[in-house]
Amino acid sequence: MSGRRDGSLFRTTGSAFRGSRLAVAVGIGILLGFIWAYLYPHGFLRSSGPNYVNAVSHPSSQVSSCESPERVKLLKSELQSVRETNANLRKQVRELSSKVHLSEQGQHNAQKQTSTLETQVKAGPIGNVKSLRTNPTILPDESINPDLAELLQKIAVKKELIVGLANYNVKEMLEVWSDSIKRAGITNYLVVALDDSVAEFCKSRGVPVYRRDPADAISKTVGKTGDNHAISGLKFHLLREFLQLGYSVLLSDVDIVYLQNPFNFLYRDCDVESMTDGYSNMTAYGYDDVSDDPSMGWSRYAHTMRIWVFNSGFFYIRPTIPSIELLDRVVDRLSKENAWDQAVFNELLFFPSRPGYEGLHASRRAMDYYLFLNSKVLFTKFRKEPKMPSYKPVIIHINYHPDKLPRMKAVVEYYVHGKKEALKPFPDGSEW
């Protein structure tokens, strides 16, 4: 330090010699400072210098000397709090990053599905062009019903199963229904019990059962009234959960007798694959029905398309967006109208888009009506055919007749126990 000060002195003295009065004054001041330092070697210059250097060189010592222990303790506590806050923030960032990753993964899968649908291709030779019939399945969401998801993992086979709804009113038919399923060797089936008596009945007979929450508003209504139409409306509401969980469902009324495993006869190439109420090739699969209006003269004949309805008591539905939209639309219509669920089901499947209405874009298939037999075909045609005993349908649905239980039992007697006279006592139609 003395060397630097000497240099300052020489520079100042040199400037004084160049005639600057101000420089001379500064030089005199500096000279007096040296004299003072010589006379008082332990003065402020010596004491403050080392402290200044020490403060610059070792800042921690200055803090140590200036801060009280309480202040240091407080600072350490605040530092620990900041560290904990940072740790929590890092944890939240990791969780958010994980959610973003899952979201991006879902978006990527959706984009893959979309790109698959939107891939542009050239039209091939005549007769070799086919449009997309099978919509991609949705990503499962087990969060909507974890208990049901866990149960379905144990029951379903290849992500598909039979589902039937039942309350105490149909307990006897449920017994015939479940026994026929077991006899056909089907294991992937489930009864959705709408009251405790059915749940206990299923458990006592070893039938897989899922008990609906009794506090559910819809379950309360169905449980009290036991109305078949109320149950029919509820099934569309419940089916949505199964589809959201990623399962294909063969929805089944309990007035059905199973003779073979229906999963061996499904095509699985459409959103909805349903049995038909038709009783011939024309009624089951559609035909051109010509309407005649003589007043129109030359254009008196108008062509119309006709098909007997799909049966909403037995259909296979895949977990696709159009399928879920179908269920949502049915539930919405039934909540606003006093309508028959089967009529609404078919209107939504078949009515086209028009001004003011956007039609449903769902693919559909009619089941073979000789394999998936309705009771009109059975009692008006089949039982009168000589070759009938050698033919075995997949299922028989007693949908055309109100005396369901005795006809179901007769079907079992005929096809299972070989009693050839079992179907004869019944009329073709129903007696009012």
Side-chain angles (χ1 to χ4, degrees), residues 59-80:
S60 59
S61 63
Q62 185 180 18
V63 174
S64 302
S65 61
C66 296
E67 301 291 348
S68 64
E70 291 78 8
R71 176 62 177 169
V72 172
K73 186 176 180 181
L74 178 62
L75 290 174
K76 289 182 178 179
S77 176
E78 291 178 352
L79 179 60
Q80 181 62 28

Side-chain angles (χ1 to χ4, degrees), residues 101-406:
H101 175 70
L102 291 175
S103 176
E104 290 176 346
Q105 189 177 27
Q107 183 180 7
H108 174 67
N109 290 335
Q111 288 173 346
K112 283 178 63 179
Q113 291 181 354
T114 302
S115 63
T116 300
L117 294 174
E118 295 181 351
T119 300
Q120 291 183 312
V121 296
K122 292 182 179 180
I126 296 175
N128 292 287
V129 178
K130 288 188 177 181
S131 62
L132 181 67
R133 287 169 174 78
T134 308
N135 284 307
T137 56
I138 63 168
L139 293 173
D141 181 10
E142 295 187 357
S143 65
I144 62 162
N145 194 332
D147 293 335
L148 180 58
E150 184 178 356
L151 178 60
L152 295 182
Q153 289 176 1
K154 300 175 183 177
I155 296 174
V157 175
K158 296 180 180 178
K159 301 288 285 186
E160 56 187 14
L161 73 161
I162 297 171
V163 175
L165 276 68
N167 63 4
Y168 63 90
N169 280 353
V170 297
K171 191 180 294 184
E172 290 182 292
M173 286 193 292
L174 178 63
E175 182 177 358
V176 179
W177 179 85
S178 59
D179 286 347
S180 71
I181 287 179
K182 293 178 182 178
R183 196 163 42 242
I186 304 166
T187 59
N188 51 331
Y189 71 103
L190 178 69
V191 174
V192 177
L194 302 177
D195 54 58
D196 292 333
S197 63
V198 168
E200 292 302 321
F201 173 78
C202 290
K203 292 177 182 177
S204 67
R205 299 184 61 83
V207 174
V209 62
Y210 170 66
R211 175 69 172 101
R212 284 291 299 173
D213 184 1
D216 182 272
I218 301 178
S219 297
K220 280 184 177 179
T221 303
V222 175
K224 289 179 180 178
T225 64
D227 181 67
N228 287 337
H229 286 291
I231 294 176
S232 296
L234 174 62
K235 68 188 177 189
F236 293 98
H237 179 81
L238 299 180
L239 271 179
R240 194 185 206 278
E241 290 186 2
F242 287 85
L243 266 58
Q244 278 187 276
L245 293 172
Y247 291 86
S248 296
V249 173
L250 184 57
L251 192 282
S252 173
D253 285 349
V254 295
D255 57 344
I256 294 175
V257 176
Y258 288 78
L259 301 174
Q260 300 187 64
N261 189 333
F263 292 109
N264 296 334
F265 298 88
L266 298 176
Y267 284 80
R268 301 175 179 85
D269 62 344
C270 294
D271 297 305
V272 178
E273 193 169 344
S274 176
M275 77 169 293
T276 172
D277 279 359
Y279 54 89
S280 64
N281 284 346
M282 290 176 61
T283 58
Y285 308 137
Y287 63 99
D288 178 10
D289 185 24
V290 181
S291 174
D292 183 12
D293 183 1
S295 66
M296 290 301 294
W298 174 81
S299 60
R300 62 183 292 177
Y301 300 108
H303 293 259
T304 68
M305 295 296 105
R306 297 285 301 277
I307 185 172
W308 261 232
V309 296
F310 281 5
N311 191 288
S312 62
F314 189 85
F315 62 88
Y316 179 80
I317 186 167
R318 297 176 57 249
T320 66
I321 291 299
S323 296
I324 294 176
E325 185 182 3
L326 168 65
L327 300 180
D328 289 348
R329 289 194 183 197
V330 172
V331 170
D332 180 65
R333 284 274 303 273
L334 294 179
S335 68
K336 298 175 181 177
E337 306 172 17
N338 184 20
W340 183 27
D341 70 281
Q342 181 160 289
V344 173
F345 177 70
N346 280 271
E347 288 175 8
L348 292 171
L349 274 175
F350 289 97
F351 283 3
S353 298
R354 60 182 184 269
Y357 174 76
E358 180 67 26
L360 182 71
H361 301 284
S363 56
R364 54 202 180 274
R365 168 181 283 275
M367 293 178 176
D368 186 330
Y369 75 99
Y370 268 16
L371 293 175
F372 299 90
L373 209 63
N374 62 56
S375 58
K376 179 174 182 175
V377 176
L378 174 65
F379 286 98
T380 62
K381 295 175 63 176
F382 257 46
R383 66 172 175 170
K384 301 172 184 179
E385 292 289 337
K387 296 182 179 180
M388 179 192 167
S390 63
Y391 184 78
K392 189 177 184 181
V394 178
I395 62 122
I396 296 177
H397 190 179
I398 313 297
N399 61 317
Y400 268 98
H401 300 86
D403 50 340
K404 297 179 181 297
L405 183 60

